[in-house]
Amino acid sequence: MSTLVVLCHPVPESFVAAVATQVVETLDDAGAEPRLLDLYAEGFSPAAAHASVIETHAEQLRAAEALVVIYPTWWSGLPAMLAGWLEQVVAANSTPRPGRPETTAASRELLANLRYVAAVTTHGSSKLVNAVQGEAGLHFLRHSLHPLCPANCRLRWLAFYDSDRSSMADRRAFLARIDRRLRRLA
Amino acid sequence: MRVLLVLADDPDVDDGGLRRAVEAALASADHDIDVIDLHEGDFHPAMTTAGRRAYHSGKPLVEPDTAGFGPRVSSAEALIFVYRATWTGMPPRLKGFVDRTFVPGVGFHLRDGKLHRGLIGVRRLVAIAIHERSRSDVLRSRDYGRRILLRTMRLIVNRRCRRRYVALYDTRPERAAAARRRFAAKLDRVLVGL
């Protein structure tokens, strides 16, 4: 079993980067062969990535049996970098163009081996504020990405709310929760 | 009304027909228009490392491509977003504009971790979108762009801000004629009557 772990955060010493370290460690320990793809470290271009880069990433995704995306939730949704990666790698050949309806075949083929998709994300504000704001990221994963995955593919949502007011203990507790939940999945 | 028009549609698609229609409608009314074209110049869509490090510093928008956005956003009375929806619901370029511009000190203020409105001068939010998908498909996928631009943003603009969504669905040529006329009429109505 191999797992593609996509990390999207611009600051290497951020909590989100620490979360990624925990995810990789847990998956490694569970024998899930994690492969880390750090979009910022790679210098991925969210608007105009090179065709060869897109092809390489698509190959990694096609070979993966699980996908973990790690990102900070900004304005209730995915950061532009991760959205750009999904647009270009996952939806590339399925994107509707003027006068041409959407086809999902290419995206489905790319995601065909996935047993689960897990989103690990941090929210600056509380769960209540995010509920009012509409949780666009969660809805995107649940209603746009997940339906393209195979029927038995599970979707898991691991969210850390209120990170702007979190203590060190809260953060440690979240890392422990990730460890437990991913072990159960892997 | 002081209008800030944020153009995120690709000017090469349909020969920029969408943005021309929007600009024509705004020009026919007596609005004071400022335009940010995200396809022009060297706007970088993703939040940068320097930008993120400056996020909580109290001196945001440190980079040349976003430096001018702060005062332009703060002085606007209406924010109008123009885009063609993509698979994720809005172009990453536009999400990048939102991520990088509406930061603490500009879009909102954080005091003791609590969110306070930063754009109380903004009384109108308008999103103008063209979807290739049918309306039912867009509703099924929960319209990410509309959710962020008109719902999430609600917490940082004026309490009495009026919100309008002008959308065209299913652009296949054989389906489009009547829908296009309705779209154009609504576009005029909303923009002239801001």
Side-chain angles (χ1 to χ4, degrees), chain A residues 134-145:
Chain A
E135 292 275 24
L138 174 60
H139 281 291
F140 165 74
L141 295 168
R142 196 181 275 164
H143 301 288
S144 289
L145 181 68

Side-chain angles (χ1 to χ4, degrees), chain A residues 79-100:
Chain A
M81 176 65 109
L82 185 58
W85 185 79
L86 289 162
E87 293 279 358
Q88 295 179 88
V89 175
V90 180
N93 296 312
S94 295
T95 311
R97 304 247 185 277
R100 195 195 83 178

Side-chain angles (χ1 to χ4, degrees), chain A residues 75 125 129 133 165, chain B residues 102-120 153-159:
Chain A
W75 291 108
S125 43
V129 168
Q133 288 185 327
R165 283 184 287 190
Chain B
F102 302 123
V103 294
V106 178
F108 59 99
H109 305 282
L110 284 175
R111 289 185 209 106
D112 305 322
K114 276 195 78 175
L115 184 76
H116 293 265
R117 294 165 195 273
L119 300 176
I120 44 175
M153 294 276 291
R154 208 178 171 182
L155 293 190
I156 63 166
V157 296
N158 192 288
R159 257 172 219 288

